[in-house]
Amino acid sequence: MTASYEIIDYSLRPAKFAERKMLCDFFSRLRVFGSLESYRYVGFGSIWFSDCVLFHRTLGISDIVSIECELDHQERFEFNNPLRGIRLLMGEASDVLPTLDWSLRSIVWLDYDDPLNVSILEDVRTVASRAKSGTAFVVSVQAEKIFDKRNDDDHIHVQSRDEFSDYFGEGRTPEALRQADLRGWTLSKTSRQIVRAEIEEGLKAANAARPNGQKIEFRQTVAFEYKDGAKMTTIGGVFVDQGQAALFDGAGLRELEFFRDSDEALRIHMPLVTPHEMRHLDRQLPILEEVGLDAEPIPVREANRYAKFYRYLPNFASFER
């Protein structure tokens, strides 16, 4: 199977780019728990290391772990490693995550190419049951279709509650799961709900051994949907113990325009506007509600999308080297 990094440059996926920039804004608010420089970042940097580089340069994080499962390509990952501070740990996330020191406050972004599967949920539970208060946790999965791949010769498209329960187990299957919840954009919401439930189960087990006042909650902060190619969805938040609840409340996370703590996600739409149209709109931004946006002759839908995401959009250009 061809790895996705061999198909597309992650740094050039515009919606992914915007998501990465919004996450960076989210993570910058974590300084209420401790200096950002003291955080560790754990992610899947691939050969592009876009997330690792952005969070190092923007947040000052120097302790970075990039987990890679493509063992045959280790030399290429090492060759492309752009920073001395990035530790490349080869292996499946399910093998690497339990070996990390979870006494460190971390930013963890498990950005999978795959749709939801049992292994991903076990990774989610590993992090949820070990993470320290102040740790940010983000999970991204594909939201096109779920496949049961236990039989290499017969991948089953999971389309019904019975098939979902057979693959994930009855304990992970919502009572009211319908066929419609497993297709289209609704699968995006279902995937986030399943991940959120797994986080809560991980916390439930870990909190059983914690005294009152030190039990940890997961405060959801972001939920995204987008389609650069395949439909993707992301859910993220912060682990907060009861004694630090006021820190989360005072971090200003709710003031972020992309803050989402419910089942509803922010759908990232890339505006189709020219550079000249961008400059015309930029002169009016940030928008004043009492004035409104002068979009003419730009389609209003595209102008509004630009106004919504302009702070996070990429600026691509070709150059000779």
Side-chain angles (χ1 to χ4, degrees):
M1 179 177 179
T2 303
S4 65
Y5 58 78
E6 294 184 299
I7 300 173
I8 187 170
D9 179 346
Y10 292 168
S11 63
L12 298 181
R13 292 168 60 186
K16 172 65 77 179
F17 184 101
E19 178 188 53
R20 194 181 300 121
K21 295 278 283 186
M22 284 188 270
L23 287 177
C24 200
D25 265 9
F26 159 28
F27 300 151
S28 71
R29 305 296 176 102
L30 297 173
R31 63 181 74 253
V32 296
F33 294 99
S35 71
L36 295 175
E37 290 80 1
S38 69
Y39 268 78
R40 173 187 60 186
Y41 174 65
V42 179
F44 304 151
S46 183
I47 61 171
W48 308 102
F49 294 98
S50 302
D51 50 343
C52 302
V53 172
L54 176 66
F55 301 150
H56 170 67
R57 290 181 175 171
T58 306
L59 305 177
I61 297 174
S62 296
D63 183 1
I64 299 171
V65 172
S66 182
I67 302 172
E68 302 300 340
C69 65
E70 300 290 341
L71 302 181
D72 292 342
H73 300 171
Q74 180 172 353
E75 184 178 356
R76 190 177 182 196
F77 287 116
E78 292 174 342
F79 180 80
N80 284 286
N81 185 343
L83 296 168
R84 182 175 59 84
I86 297 177
R87 284 184 291 147
L88 189 61
L89 299 183
M90 300 301 298
E92 297 289 343
S94 57
D95 296 325
V96 175
L97 288 172
T99 69
L100 299 180
D101 178 3
W102 291 101
S103 67
L104 300 176
R105 194 176 287 116
S106 304
I107 292 170
V108 183
W109 184 10
L110 303 183
D111 186 7
Y112 299 95
D113 293 332
D114 298 324
L116 208 57
N117 58 46
V118 173
S119 178
I120 288 174
L121 292 182
E122 290 174 351
D123 292 344
V124 168
R125 188 174 293 218
T126 294
V127 176
S129 61
R130 290 169 168 80
K132 179 178 181 176
S133 181
T135 288
F137 186 31
V138 180
V139 180
S140 300
V141 295
Q142 190 197 108
E144 286 284 346
K145 295 177 181 178
I146 293 176
F147 286 96
D148 177 350
K149 297 183 178 180
R150 288 175 293 179
N151 185 339
D152 291 338
D153 298 325
D154 185 18
H155 294 175
I156 299 172
H157 178 197
V158 176
Q159 302 182 75
S160 69
R161 188 186 186 282
D162 286 346
E163 290 170 337
F164 190 97
S165 177
D166 181 57
Y167 181 38
F168 289 96
E170 184 61 24
R172 285 171 165 151
T173 306
E175 187 65 34
L177 187 69
R178 305 163 303 158
Q179 191 169 6
D181 297 325
L182 296 171
R183 63 190 184 204
W185 276 113
T186 309
L187 176 59
S188 168
K189 179 189 290 188
T190 303
S191 298
R192 294 193 303 276
Q193 290 172 333
I194 298 297
V195 169
R196 177 65 190 265
E198 196 71 22
I199 291 172
E200 297 300 339
E201 286 300 313
L203 284 174
K204 183 179 178 182
N207 281 335
R210 294 177 176 132
N212 289 332
Q214 296 180 23
K215 297 186 186 299
I216 291 180
E217 300 175 342
F218 181 73
R219 299 287 193 92
Q220 185 182 320
T221 306
V222 296
F224 299 118
E225 296 173 339
Y226 56 90
K227 183 173 180 170
D228 280 330
K231 293 186 180 77
M232 297 292 296
T233 190
T234 294
I235 181 171
V238 185
F239 294 107
V240 185
D241 76 24
Q242 294 163 326
Q244 294 188 315
L247 294 180
F248 179 89
D249 294 336
L253 290 161
R254 293 180 181 278
E255 297 167 7
L256 295 170
E257 55 195 318
F258 52 83
F259 179 86
R260 297 290 188 278
D261 63 352
S262 68
D263 284 342
E264 301 307 315
L266 173 67
R267 181 80 57 85
I268 302 174
H269 291 288
M270 287 296 101
L272 297 175
V273 290
T274 70
H276 186 63
E277 290 168 343
M278 290 182 192
R279 290 191 289 274
H280 171 70
L281 295 171
D282 281 341
R283 289 191 289 270
Q284 304 174 61
L285 296 171
I287 191 69
L288 299 175
E289 291 185 7
E290 63 273 22
V291 175
L293 193 65
D294 174 17
E296 192 67 27
I298 307 166
V300 172
R301 186 183 70 169
E302 301 305 328
N304 287 337
R305 286 179 174 177
Y306 183 78
K308 189 172 185 176
F309 296 110
Y310 74 101
R311 290 180 55 218
Y312 305 105
L313 297 179
N315 293 302
F316 296 142
S318 63
F319 63 95
E320 299 292 336
R321 60 178 180 175

